[in-house]
Amino acid sequence: MQAAIEAKLTSALAPTHLEVTCSDGNKWAVTVISEAFQGKPLLARHRLVNTALAEELEDIHALSLKTKTPAEWEKS
Amino acid sequence: MQRQHQQHAQLLHPCYSFAADDDDVVDFSGAATQERIAALVADNPILVFMKGNRMFPQCGYSGTVVQILNQLGVPYETVDVMADDRIREGVKDFSNWPTIPQLYLNGEFVGGADIVIELYQTGELLEQIEIAAAS
């Protein structure tokens, strides 16, 4: 599952940084840093990730997302 | 449409929830359900579709959204998706969003728990709520 998530996000969003972790059995946390988020509101960013992971979301019922641009990530 | 059942998972974690009894055949794509959801969203300026209710959230993510709205001290309504399978699946189609909870302001889908938390932290959530309350 982890490899599939990483592969799909990499091909969909070309992230400069990507972190995928799983805890508590099936609760996933994903941090994606990508230029693809530039100028997009939060909802649109999360939709990009949800769309890329549509297949995986059938089996995942807890997914926590952080979506930043490289510039925002530098500042945080 | 029959959903796959994973009852064992449901026992392990309250966030996991799947369709009800096997003999309960439900039309998840029902137009009537979409109309009910649209009416709920239209009638309630601040509305949360959640697991459980504001006194007893049945999932940590739903509980977080309730806590934030309580913290902001704004009036809001909730719909317990655990009480109705059609609503639980229908609201995902309605918003094209795969998970519960879902927050709606003035008829517009805002997001799930992560988005609500982030908007709360930046102050944007209160801004959006004030706009919703004023209109």
Side-chain angles (χ1 to χ4, degrees), chain B residues 80-102:
Chain B
D80 181 3
V81 302
M82 304 295 275
D84 190 326
D85 281 337
R86 283 161 296 195
I87 297 283
R88 186 167 70 213
E89 293 308 315
V91 76
K92 296 176 185 176
D93 292 335
F94 184 79
S95 55
N96 186 28
W97 189 261
T99 51
I100 307 290
Q102 298 189 4

Side-chain angles (χ1 to χ4, degrees), chain A residues 26-27 42-43 46-47 50 57 61-65 68, chain B residues 13 16 18 61 95-98 109-111 114-115 118:
Chain A
N26 200 8
K27 288 170 80 173
L42 207 45
L43 181 62
H46 284 220
R47 280 204 195 280
N50 287 340
L57 280 165
H61 283 261
L63 173 63
S64 177
L65 294 179
K68 305 248 185 228
Chain B
H13 194 286
Y16 296 85
F18 298 91
Y61 296 90
S95 55
N96 186 28
W97 189 261
F109 177 58
V110 174
D114 282 338
I115 289 179
E118 207 165 321

